[in-house]
Coordinates of all heavy atoms in Angstrom, one line a residue:
M1 N -10.6 -8.0 72.7 CA -11.5 -8.8 71.9 C -12.7 -9.2 72.8 O -12.5 -9.5 74.0 CB -10.8 -10.1 71.4 CG -11.6 -11.0 70.6 SD -10.8 -12.4 69.9 CE -10.0 -11.7 68.5
H2 N -13.8 -9.1 72.3 CA -15.1 -9.4 73.1 C -15.2 -10.9 73.3 O -14.8 -11.7 72.4 CB -16.2 -8.8 72.2 CG -17.5 -8.7 73.0 ND1 -18.4 -9.7 73.0 CD2 -18.0 -7.8 73.8 CE1 -19.5 -9.4 73.8 NE2 -19.2 -8.2 74.3
G3 N -15.8 -11.3 74.4 CA -16.0 -12.7 74.7 C -16.7 -13.5 73.7 O -16.3 -14.7 73.4
D4 N -17.7 -12.9 73.1 CA -18.5 -13.6 72.0 C -17.5 -13.9 70.8 O -17.6 -15.0 70.3 CB -19.6 -12.7 71.5 CG -20.8 -12.5 72.4 OD1 -20.7 -13.0 73.6 OD2 -21.8 -12.0 72.0
D5 N -16.6 -12.9 70.5 CA -15.7 -13.1 69.4 C -14.8 -14.3 69.7 O -14.4 -15.0 68.8 CB -14.9 -11.8 69.2 CG -15.8 -10.7 68.7 OD1 -16.9 -10.9 68.2 OD2 -15.4 -9.5 68.9
V6 N -14.3 -14.4 70.9 CA -13.4 -15.5 71.3 C -14.1 -16.8 71.1 O -13.6 -17.7 70.4 CB -12.9 -15.3 72.7 CG1 -12.1 -16.5 73.1 CG2 -12.0 -14.1 72.8
L7 N -15.3 -17.0 71.7 CA -16.0 -18.2 71.5 C -16.3 -18.5 70.1 O -16.2 -19.7 69.6 CB -17.3 -18.2 72.4 CG -17.1 -18.3 73.9 CD1 -18.5 -18.2 74.6 CD2 -16.4 -19.5 74.3
E8 N -16.8 -17.5 69.3 CA -17.1 -17.8 67.9 C -15.8 -18.2 67.1 O -15.9 -19.0 66.3 CB -17.7 -16.5 67.3 CG -19.1 -16.3 67.8 CD -19.7 -14.9 67.5 OE1 -18.9 -14.0 67.1 OE2 -20.9 -14.7 67.6
G9 N -14.7 -17.5 67.5 CA -13.5 -17.9 66.8 C -13.0 -19.3 67.1 O -12.6 -20.0 66.1
I10 N -13.1 -19.7 68.3 CA -12.7 -21.1 68.7 C -13.7 -22.0 68.0 O -13.3 -23.1 67.5 CB -12.7 -21.3 70.2 CG1 -11.6 -20.5 70.8 CG2 -12.6 -22.7 70.6 CD1 -11.7 -20.3 72.3
F11 N -15.0 -21.7 68.0 CA -16.0 -22.6 67.4 C -15.7 -22.7 65.9 O -15.9 -23.8 65.3 CB -17.4 -22.1 67.7 CG -18.5 -23.1 67.4 CD1 -18.7 -24.1 68.2 CD2 -19.2 -23.0 66.2 CE1 -19.7 -25.1 67.9 CE2 -20.2 -23.9 65.9 CZ -20.5 -25.0 66.8
D12 N -15.4 -21.6 65.3 CA -15.0 -21.7 63.8 C -13.9 -22.6 63.5 O -13.9 -23.4 62.6 CB -14.7 -20.3 63.3 CG -15.9 -19.4 63.2 OD1 -17.1 -19.9 63.2 OD2 -15.7 -18.1 63.0
V13 N -12.9 -22.6 64.4 CA -11.7 -23.5 64.2 C -12.2 -25.0 64.4 O -11.9 -25.9 63.6 CB -10.6 -23.2 65.2 CG1 -9.5 -24.3 65.2 CG2 -10.0 -21.8 64.8
I14 N -13.0 -25.2 65.4 CA -13.6 -26.5 65.7 C -14.4 -27.0 64.5 O -14.2 -28.2 64.0 CB -14.5 -26.5 66.9 CG1 -13.6 -26.4 68.2 CG2 -15.3 -27.8 67.0 CD1 -14.4 -26.1 69.5
E15 N -15.2 -26.2 63.9 CA -16.0 -26.5 62.7 C -15.1 -26.9 61.5 O -15.4 -27.8 60.8 CB -17.0 -25.4 62.4 CG -18.1 -25.3 63.4 CD -19.2 -26.3 63.2 OE1 -20.0 -26.2 62.3 OE2 -19.2 -27.3 64.0
D16 N -14.1 -26.1 61.4 CA -13.1 -26.3 60.3 C -12.4 -27.7 60.5 O -12.3 -28.5 59.5 CB -12.1 -25.2 60.2 CG -11.0 -25.5 59.1 OD1 -11.4 -25.4 58.0 OD2 -9.9 -25.8 59.5
R17 N -12.0 -28.0 61.7 CA -11.3 -29.3 62.0 C -12.3 -30.4 61.7 O -11.9 -31.5 61.3 CB -10.8 -29.3 63.4 CG -9.7 -28.3 63.7 CD -8.5 -28.4 62.8 NE -7.4 -27.5 63.3 CZ -7.3 -26.3 63.0 NH1 -8.1 -25.7 62.1 NH2 -6.2 -25.6 63.5
K18 N -13.6 -30.2 62.1 CA -14.6 -31.3 61.9 C -14.7 -31.6 60.4 O -14.9 -32.7 60.0 CB -15.9 -30.8 62.4 CG -17.0 -31.8 62.3 CD -18.3 -31.4 63.1 CE -19.3 -30.6 62.3 NZ -20.5 -30.4 63.0
E19 N -14.6 -30.5 59.6 CA -14.8 -30.7 58.1 C -13.6 -31.2 57.4 O -13.6 -32.1 56.6 CB -15.2 -29.3 57.5 CG -15.5 -29.4 56.0 CD -15.9 -28.1 55.5 OE1 -16.7 -27.4 56.1 OE2 -15.5 -27.7 54.4
T20 N -12.4 -30.7 57.8 CA -11.2 -31.0 57.1 C -10.4 -32.2 57.7 O -9.6 -32.8 57.0 CB -10.2 -29.8 57.0 OG1 -9.9 -29.4 58.3 CG2 -10.9 -28.7 56.3
L21 N -10.6 -32.5 59.0 CA -10.0 -33.6 59.7 C -8.4 -33.7 59.5 O -7.9 -34.7 59.1 CB -10.6 -34.9 59.4 CG -12.1 -35.0 59.8 CD1 -12.7 -36.3 59.3 CD2 -12.3 -34.9 61.3
P22 N -7.7 -32.6 59.8 CA -6.2 -32.7 59.6 C -5.7 -33.8 60.6 O -6.1 -33.9 61.7 CB -5.7 -31.3 59.9 CG -6.9 -30.5 60.5 CD -8.1 -31.3 60.2
E23 N -4.7 -34.5 60.1 CA -4.2 -35.6 60.9 C -3.5 -35.2 62.2 O -3.5 -35.9 63.1 CB -3.2 -36.4 60.0 CG -3.8 -37.2 59.0 CD -2.8 -38.1 58.2 OE1 -1.8 -38.5 58.8 OE2 -3.1 -38.4 57.0
D24 N -2.9 -34.0 62.2 CA -2.1 -33.6 63.4 C -3.0 -32.7 64.3 O -2.4 -32.1 65.2 CB -0.9 -32.8 62.9 CG -1.2 -31.5 62.2 OD1 -2.4 -31.4 61.7 OD2 -0.4 -30.7 62.0
S25 N -4.3 -32.8 64.2 CA -5.2 -31.9 65.0 C -5.8 -32.7 66.1 O -6.5 -33.7 65.9 CB -6.3 -31.3 64.1 OG -7.3 -30.8 64.9
Y26 N -5.6 -32.2 67.4 CA -6.3 -32.8 68.5 C -7.8 -32.7 68.3 O -8.5 -33.7 68.6 CB -5.9 -32.1 69.8 CG -6.7 -32.6 71.0 CD1 -6.5 -33.8 71.6 CD2 -7.6 -31.7 71.6 CE1 -7.2 -34.3 72.7 CE2 -8.4 -32.2 72.7 CZ -8.2 -33.4 73.2 OH -8.9 -33.9 74.3
T27 N -8.3 -31.6 67.9 CA -9.7 -31.4 67.7 C -10.3 -32.4 66.7 O -11.3 -33.1 66.9 CB -10.0 -30.0 67.2 OG1 -9.5 -29.1 68.2 CG2 -11.5 -29.8 67.0
A28 N -9.6 -32.6 65.6 CA -10.0 -33.6 64.6 C -10.0 -35.0 65.2 O -10.9 -35.8 64.9 CB -9.1 -33.6 63.4
S29 N -9.1 -35.3 66.0 CA -9.0 -36.6 66.6 C -10.2 -36.9 67.5 O -10.6 -38.0 67.7 CB -7.7 -36.8 67.4 OG -7.8 -36.1 68.7
L30 N -10.8 -35.9 68.1 CA -12.0 -36.0 68.9 C -13.2 -36.4 68.0 O -14.1 -37.2 68.5 CB -12.3 -34.8 69.7 CG -11.4 -34.4 70.8 CD1 -11.7 -33.0 71.3 CD2 -11.3 -35.4 71.9
F31 N -13.2 -35.9 66.8 CA -14.3 -36.3 65.9 C -14.2 -37.7 65.3 O -15.2 -38.3 64.9 CB -14.4 -35.2 64.8 CG -15.0 -33.9 65.2 CD1 -14.2 -32.9 65.5 CD2 -16.4 -33.8 65.4 CE1 -14.7 -31.6 65.9 CE2 -16.9 -32.6 65.8 CZ -16.1 -31.5 66.1
T32 N -13.0 -38.2 65.3 CA -12.7 -39.5 64.7 C -12.4 -40.6 65.7 O -12.1 -41.7 65.4 CB -11.6 -39.4 63.7 OG1 -10.4 -39.0 64.3 CG2 -12.0 -38.5 62.5
H33 N -12.4 -40.3 67.0 CA -12.0 -41.2 68.1 C -12.9 -42.4 68.0 O -14.1 -42.4 67.8 CB -12.2 -40.5 69.4 CG -11.4 -41.2 70.5 ND1 -11.9 -42.3 71.2 CD2 -10.2 -41.0 71.0 CE1 -11.1 -42.7 72.1 NE2 -10.0 -41.9 72.0
E34 N -12.3 -43.6 68.3 CA -13.0 -44.8 68.3 C -14.2 -44.9 69.3 O -15.2 -45.6 69.0 CB -12.1 -46.0 68.6 CG -11.5 -46.0 69.9 CD -10.4 -47.1 70.1 OE1 -10.0 -47.7 69.1 OE2 -10.1 -47.4 71.3
K35 N -14.1 -44.1 70.3 CA -15.2 -44.0 71.3 C -16.3 -43.1 70.8 O -17.4 -43.0 71.5 CB -14.7 -43.6 72.7 CG -13.9 -44.6 73.4 CD -13.5 -44.0 74.7 CE -13.2 -45.0 75.8 NZ -12.9 -44.3 77.1
G36 N -16.1 -42.4 69.7 CA -17.0 -41.4 69.2 C -17.3 -40.3 70.2 O -16.4 -39.8 70.9
E37 N -18.6 -40.0 70.2 CA -19.0 -38.9 71.1 C -18.7 -39.1 72.6 O -18.4 -38.1 73.3 CB -20.5 -38.7 71.0 CG -21.1 -37.7 71.9 CD -22.7 -37.8 71.9 OE1 -23.2 -38.8 71.7 OE2 -23.2 -36.7 72.1
N38 N -18.6 -40.3 73.0 CA -18.3 -40.6 74.4 C -17.0 -40.0 74.8 O -16.9 -39.6 76.0 CB -18.4 -42.1 74.7 CG -19.8 -42.6 74.7 OD1 -20.8 -41.9 74.8 ND2 -19.9 -44.0 74.7
R39 N -16.0 -40.0 73.9 CA -14.7 -39.5 74.3 C -14.8 -38.0 74.7 O -14.3 -37.5 75.7 CB -13.7 -39.7 73.2 CG -12.3 -39.1 73.5 CD -11.7 -39.8 74.7 NE -10.5 -39.2 75.0 CZ -10.0 -39.0 76.2 NH1 -10.7 -39.5 77.3 NH2 -8.9 -38.5 76.5
V40 N -15.6 -37.2 73.9 CA -15.7 -35.8 74.2 C -16.5 -35.6 75.5 O -16.2 -34.8 76.3 CB -16.4 -35.1 73.0 CG1 -16.7 -33.6 73.4 CG2 -15.5 -35.1 71.8
L41 N -17.6 -36.4 75.7 CA -18.3 -36.3 76.9 C -17.5 -36.7 78.1 O -17.7 -36.0 79.2 CB -19.6 -37.1 76.7 CG -20.6 -36.7 75.6 CD1 -21.8 -37.6 75.6 CD2 -20.9 -35.2 75.7
E42 N -16.7 -37.7 78.0 CA -15.8 -38.0 79.1 C -14.9 -36.8 79.4 O -14.6 -36.5 80.6 CB -14.9 -39.2 78.7 CG -15.6 -40.5 78.7 CD -14.8 -41.6 78.1 OE1 -13.6 -41.4 77.6 OE2 -15.3 -42.8 78.0
K43 N -14.4 -36.1 78.4 CA -13.5 -35.0 78.6 C -14.3 -33.8 79.3 O -13.7 -33.1 80.1 CB -12.9 -34.5 77.3 CG -11.9 -35.4 76.7 CD -10.7 -35.6 77.6 CE -9.8 -34.4 77.7 NZ -8.6 -34.6 78.6
V44 N -15.5 -33.6 78.9 CA -16.3 -32.6 79.6 C -16.4 -32.9 81.0 O -16.3 -32.1 81.9 CB -17.7 -32.5 78.9 CG1 -18.7 -31.6 79.7 CG2 -17.6 -31.9 77.5
G45 N -16.7 -34.2 81.4 CA -16.8 -34.6 82.8 C -15.5 -34.5 83.5 O -15.4 -34.0 84.6
E46 N -14.4 -34.9 82.8 CA -13.1 -34.8 83.4 C -12.7 -33.4 83.7 O -12.2 -33.0 84.8 CB -12.1 -35.4 82.5 CG -10.6 -35.3 82.9 CD -9.7 -35.8 81.8 OE1 -10.0 -36.8 81.1 OE2 -8.6 -35.1 81.6
E47 N -12.9 -32.5 82.8 CA -12.5 -31.1 82.9 C -13.4 -30.4 84.0 O -13.0 -29.5 84.7 CB -12.6 -30.3 81.6 CG -11.7 -30.9 80.5 CD -10.2 -31.0 80.9 OE1 -9.8 -30.3 81.9 OE2 -9.5 -31.7 80.2
S48 N -14.7 -30.8 84.0 CA -15.6 -30.3 85.1 C -15.1 -30.6 86.5 O -15.0 -29.7 87.3 CB -17.0 -30.8 84.9 OG -17.6 -30.5 83.7
T49 N -14.7 -31.9 86.6 CA -14.1 -32.3 87.9 C -12.9 -31.5 88.3 O -12.7 -31.1 89.4 CB -13.9 -33.8 87.9 OG1 -15.1 -34.5 87.6 CG2 -13.3 -34.3 89.2
E50 N -12.0 -31.4 87.3 CA -10.7 -30.7 87.6 C -11.0 -29.2 87.9 O -10.3 -28.6 88.7 CB -9.8 -30.8 86.4 CG -9.3 -32.2 86.2 CD -8.5 -32.5 84.9 OE1 -8.4 -31.5 84.1 OE2 -8.0 -33.6 84.8
F51 N -12.0 -28.6 87.3 CA -12.4 -27.2 87.6 C -12.9 -27.1 89.0 O -12.5 -26.3 89.8 CB -13.4 -26.7 86.6 CG -13.9 -25.4 86.9 CD1 -13.2 -24.3 86.4 CD2 -15.1 -25.1 87.7 CE1 -13.6 -23.0 86.7 CE2 -15.5 -23.8 88.0 CZ -14.8 -22.8 87.5
V52 N -13.7 -28.1 89.4 CA -14.2 -28.1 90.8 C -13.1 -28.2 91.8 O -13.1 -27.5 92.8 CB -15.3 -29.2 91.0 CG1 -15.7 -29.4 92.4 CG2 -16.6 -28.8 90.2
L53 N -12.2 -29.2 91.5 CA -11.1 -29.4 92.5 C -10.2 -28.1 92.6 O -9.7 -27.8 93.7 CB -10.3 -30.6 92.0 CG -11.0 -31.9 92.1 CD1 -10.1 -33.0 91.5 CD2 -11.4 -32.2 93.6
A54 N -10.0 -27.5 91.4 CA -9.2 -26.2 91.5 C -9.9 -25.1 92.3 O -9.3 -24.4 93.1 CB -8.9 -25.7 90.1
A55 N -11.2 -25.1 92.2 CA -12.0 -24.1 93.0 C -11.9 -24.5 94.5 O -11.7 -23.6 95.3 CB -13.5 -24.1 92.5
K56 N -12.0 -25.7 94.8 CA -11.9 -26.1 96.2 C -10.5 -25.8 96.8 O -10.4 -25.5 97.9 CB -12.1 -27.6 96.3 CG -13.6 -28.0 96.2 CD -13.9 -29.4 96.7 CE -13.6 -29.7 98.1 NZ -14.5 -29.3 99.1
D57 N -9.5 -25.8 95.9 CA -8.1 -25.5 96.3 C -7.9 -24.0 96.3 O -6.8 -23.5 96.6 CB -7.1 -26.2 95.4 CG -7.0 -27.7 95.7 OD1 -7.5 -28.1 96.7 OD2 -6.5 -28.4 94.8
D58 N -8.9 -23.2 95.9 CA -8.8 -21.8 95.7 C -7.6 -21.4 94.8 O -6.9 -20.4 95.1 CB -8.7 -21.1 97.1 CG -9.0 -19.6 97.1 OD1 -9.7 -19.2 96.2 OD2 -8.4 -18.9 98.0
D59 N -7.5 -22.1 93.7 CA -6.4 -21.9 92.8 C -7.0 -21.2 91.5 O -7.4 -21.9 90.6 CB -5.7 -23.2 92.5 CG -4.5 -23.1 91.6 OD1 -4.3 -22.0 90.9 OD2 -3.7 -24.0 91.6
G60 N -6.9 -19.9 91.5 CA -7.5 -19.1 90.4 C -6.9 -19.4 89.1 O -7.6 -19.5 88.1
A61 N -5.6 -19.6 89.0 CA -4.9 -19.8 87.8 C -5.3 -21.2 87.2 O -5.6 -21.3 86.0 CB -3.4 -19.8 88.0
E62 N -5.4 -22.2 88.1 CA -5.8 -23.5 87.7 C -7.3 -23.5 87.3 O -7.7 -24.2 86.3 CB -5.6 -24.5 88.8 CG -5.7 -26.0 88.3 CD -4.7 -26.5 87.3 OE1 -3.7 -25.8 87.1 OE2 -5.0 -27.5 86.7
M63 N -8.1 -22.7 88.0 CA -9.5 -22.6 87.6 C -9.6 -22.1 86.2 O -10.5 -22.6 85.4 CB -10.3 -21.7 88.5 CG -10.5 -22.4 89.9 SD -11.3 -21.2 91.0 CE -12.9 -21.0 90.2
A64 N -8.8 -21.1 85.8 CA -8.9 -20.5 84.5 C -8.5 -21.6 83.4 O -9.1 -21.7 82.4 CB -8.0 -19.3 84.4
E65 N -7.4 -22.3 83.7 CA -6.9 -23.4 82.8 C -8.0 -24.4 82.6 O -8.3 -24.8 81.5 CB -5.6 -24.0 83.3 CG -4.4 -23.1 83.3 CD -3.9 -23.0 81.9 OE1 -4.0 -23.9 81.0 OE2 -3.3 -21.9 81.6
E66 N -8.5 -25.0 83.7 CA -9.5 -26.0 83.6 C -10.8 -25.5 83.0 O -11.5 -26.2 82.3 CB -9.7 -26.7 85.0 CG -8.5 -27.3 85.6 CD -7.8 -28.4 84.7 OE1 -8.4 -28.9 83.7 OE2 -6.6 -28.7 84.9
G67 N -11.2 -24.3 83.3 CA -12.4 -23.7 82.8 C -12.3 -23.6 81.3 O -13.2 -23.8 80.5
A68 N -11.1 -23.2 80.8 CA -10.9 -23.1 79.3 C -11.0 -24.4 78.7 O -11.6 -24.6 77.6 CB -9.5 -22.5 79.1
D69 N -10.4 -25.5 79.3 CA -10.5 -26.8 78.8 C -12.0 -27.3 78.8 O -12.4 -27.9 77.8 CB -9.7 -27.8 79.6 CG -8.2 -27.6 79.5 OD1 -7.8 -27.0 78.5 OD2 -7.5 -28.2 80.3
L70 N -12.7 -27.0 79.8 CA -14.1 -27.3 79.9 C -14.9 -26.7 78.8 O -15.7 -27.3 78.1 CB -14.7 -27.0 81.3 CG -16.2 -27.2 81.5 CD1 -16.6 -28.6 81.2 CD2 -16.5 -26.7 82.9
V71 N -14.7 -25.4 78.6 CA -15.5 -24.7 77.6 C -15.1 -25.2 76.2 O -16.0 -25.4 75.3 CB -15.2 -23.1 77.6 CG1 -15.7 -22.4 76.4 CG2 -15.8 -22.6 78.9
Y72 N -13.8 -25.5 75.9 CA -13.4 -26.0 74.6 C -14.1 -27.3 74.3 O -14.7 -27.5 73.3 CB -11.9 -26.2 74.6 CG -11.4 -27.1 73.5 CD1 -11.4 -26.6 72.2 CD2 -11.1 -28.4 73.8 CE1 -11.0 -27.5 71.2 CE2 -10.7 -29.3 72.8 CZ -10.7 -28.8 71.5 OH -10.3 -29.7 70.5
H73 N -14.1 -28.3 75.3 CA -14.7 -29.6 75.0 C -16.2 -29.5 74.9 O -16.8 -30.2 74.2 CB -14.2 -30.6 76.1 CG -12.8 -31.0 75.9 ND1 -11.8 -30.4 76.6 CD2 -12.3 -31.9 75.2 CE1 -10.6 -30.9 76.2 NE2 -10.9 -31.9 75.3
M74 N -16.8 -28.5 75.6 CA -18.2 -28.3 75.5 C -18.5 -27.8 74.1 O -19.5 -28.2 73.5 CB -18.7 -27.3 76.6 CG -20.2 -27.0 76.5 SD -20.6 -25.6 77.6 CE -19.8 -24.3 76.7
L75 N -17.7 -26.9 73.6 CA -17.9 -26.4 72.2 C -17.8 -27.5 71.2 O -18.5 -27.6 70.2 CB -16.9 -25.3 71.9 CG -17.2 -24.0 72.6 CD1 -16.0 -23.0 72.3 CD2 -18.5 -23.4 72.3
V76 N -16.8 -28.5 71.4 CA -16.7 -29.6 70.5 C -18.0 -30.4 70.6 O -18.5 -30.9 69.5 CB -15.5 -30.5 70.9 CG1 -15.5 -31.8 70.1 CG2 -14.2 -29.7 70.6
A77 N -18.5 -30.7 71.8 CA -19.8 -31.4 71.9 C -20.9 -30.7 71.2 O -21.7 -31.4 70.5 CB -20.1 -31.6 73.4
L78 N -21.0 -29.4 71.3 CA -22.0 -28.7 70.6 C -21.9 -28.9 69.0 O -22.9 -29.2 68.4 CB -21.9 -27.2 70.8 CG -22.4 -26.7 72.2 CD1 -22.1 -25.2 72.4 CD2 -23.9 -27.0 72.4
S79 N -20.7 -28.8 68.6 CA -20.4 -29.0 67.1 C -20.8 -30.4 66.7 O -21.4 -30.6 65.6 CB -18.9 -28.7 66.8 OG -18.6 -29.0 65.5
M80 N -20.5 -31.4 67.5 CA -20.8 -32.8 67.2 C -22.3 -33.0 67.0 O -22.8 -33.8 66.2 CB -20.4 -33.8 68.3 CG -18.9 -34.1 68.2 SD -18.5 -35.3 69.5 CE -17.0 -35.9 68.8
H81 N -23.1 -32.1 67.7 CA -24.6 -32.2 67.6 C -25.1 -31.2 66.7 O -26.3 -30.9 66.7 CB -25.2 -32.1 69.0 CG -25.0 -33.4 69.8 ND1 -25.8 -34.4 69.8 CD2 -23.9 -33.8 70.6 CE1 -25.4 -35.4 70.6 NE2 -24.2 -35.0 71.1
D82 N -24.3 -30.5 65.9 CA -24.7 -29.5 65.0 C -25.5 -28.3 65.6 O -26.4 -27.8 65.1 CB -25.5 -30.1 63.8 CG -24.7 -31.1 63.0 OD1 -23.5 -30.8 62.8 OD2 -25.2 -32.1 62.6
V83 N -25.0 -28.0 66.9 CA -25.6 -26.9 67.6 C -24.6 -25.7 67.4 O -23.5 -25.9 67.9 CB -25.9 -27.2 69.1 CG1 -26.4 -25.9 69.8 CG2 -26.8 -28.4 69.2
D84 N -25.0 -24.6 66.8 CA -24.1 -23.5 66.6 C -23.9 -22.8 67.9 O -24.7 -22.7 68.8 CB -24.7 -22.6 65.6 CG -23.7 -21.6 65.1 OD1 -23.5 -20.5 65.7 OD2 -23.1 -21.8 64.0
V85 N -22.7 -22.3 68.0 CA -22.3 -21.5 69.2 C -23.2 -20.3 69.4 O -23.5 -19.9 70.6 CB -20.8 -21.1 69.2 CG1 -20.6 -20.0 68.1 CG2 -20.4 -20.6 70.5
E86 N -23.8 -19.8 68.4 CA -24.8 -18.7 68.5 C -26.0 -19.1 69.4 O -26.5 -18.2 70.1 CB -25.2 -18.2 67.1 CG -24.3 -17.3 66.5 CD -24.0 -16.0 67.3 OE1 -24.9 -15.4 67.9 OE2 -22.8 -15.6 67.3
A87 N -26.4 -20.3 69.3 CA -27.5 -20.7 70.2 C -27.1 -20.6 71.7 O -27.9 -20.1 72.5 CB -27.9 -22.2 69.9
L88 N -25.9 -21.0 72.0 CA -25.4 -20.9 73.3 C -25.3 -19.4 73.7 O -25.7 -19.0 74.8 CB -24.0 -21.6 73.5 CG -23.3 -21.3 74.8 CD1 -23.9 -22.1 75.9 CD2 -21.8 -21.7 74.6
L89 N -24.7 -18.6 72.8 CA -24.6 -17.2 73.1 C -25.9 -16.5 73.3 O -26.1 -15.6 74.1 CB -23.7 -16.5 72.0 CG -22.3 -17.0 72.0 CD1 -21.6 -16.4 70.8 CD2 -21.5 -16.6 73.3
D90 N -26.9 -16.9 72.5 CA -28.2 -16.3 72.6 C -28.8 -16.5 74.0 O -29.4 -15.6 74.6 CB -29.2 -16.9 71.5 CG -28.9 -16.3 70.1 OD1 -28.1 -15.3 70.0 OD2 -29.4 -16.9 69.2
V91 N -28.7 -17.8 74.5 CA -29.2 -18.1 75.8 C -28.4 -17.2 76.9 O -29.1 -16.7 77.8 CB -29.0 -19.6 76.1 CG1 -29.4 -19.9 77.6 CG2 -29.9 -20.4 75.2
L92 N -27.1 -17.2 76.7 CA -26.4 -16.3 77.7 C -26.8 -14.9 77.7 O -26.9 -14.2 78.7 CB -24.9 -16.5 77.4 CG -24.3 -17.9 77.8 CD1 -22.8 -17.9 77.3 CD2 -24.3 -18.1 79.3
R93 N -27.0 -14.4 76.4 CA -27.4 -13.0 76.3 C -28.8 -12.8 77.0 O -29.0 -11.7 77.6 CB -27.5 -12.6 74.8 CG -26.1 -12.4 74.2 CD -26.2 -11.9 72.8 NE -25.0 -12.1 72.1 CZ -24.8 -13.0 71.1 NH1 -25.8 -13.8 70.7 NH2 -23.6 -13.2 70.5
E94 N -29.7 -13.7 76.8 CA -31.0 -13.6 77.4 C -30.9 -13.6 78.9 O -31.6 -12.8 79.6 CB -31.9 -14.8 77.0 CG -32.4 -14.7 75.6 CD -33.1 -16.0 75.2 OE1 -33.5 -16.8 76.1 OE2 -33.3 -16.2 74.0
R95 N -30.0 -14.3 79.5 CA -29.8 -14.4 80.9 C -29.0 -13.2 81.5 O -29.1 -13.0 82.7 CB -29.1 -15.7 81.3 CG -29.9 -16.9 81.0 CD -29.2 -18.2 81.4 NE -30.0 -19.3 81.0 CZ -29.6 -20.6 81.3 NH1 -28.4 -20.8 81.8 NH2 -30.4 -21.6 80.9
Q96 N -28.4 -12.5 80.6 CA -27.6 -11.4 81.1 C -28.5 -10.2 81.6 O -28.1 -9.5 82.5 CB -26.8 -10.8 79.9 CG -25.8 -9.8 80.2 CD -24.9 -9.3 79.1 OE1 -25.2 -9.6 77.9 NE2 -23.8 -8.7 79.3
G97 N -29.6 -10.1 81.0 CA -30.5 -9.0 81.4 C -31.1 -9.2 82.7 O -31.2 -8.5 83.7

């Protein structure tokens, strides 16, 4: 599966959870959290720090785990601001060349 497809697939699930707000969904809980957007932004900061610490420890497996958490929470933040993942992918594609 292509990287774009993975990000788009995860973003689609995030968008669905934002719309349907299932009670048992962690993603939905981020959209309804009493702290609002701040909760997601805190998670972005937390996961960024954990990623950096894993890199300092030269722990590749932990970097992958924390990197995935960071990307996920970043995608939730994009969704909260109605920024489509395609905008992010377009910027990455431009930088690829």
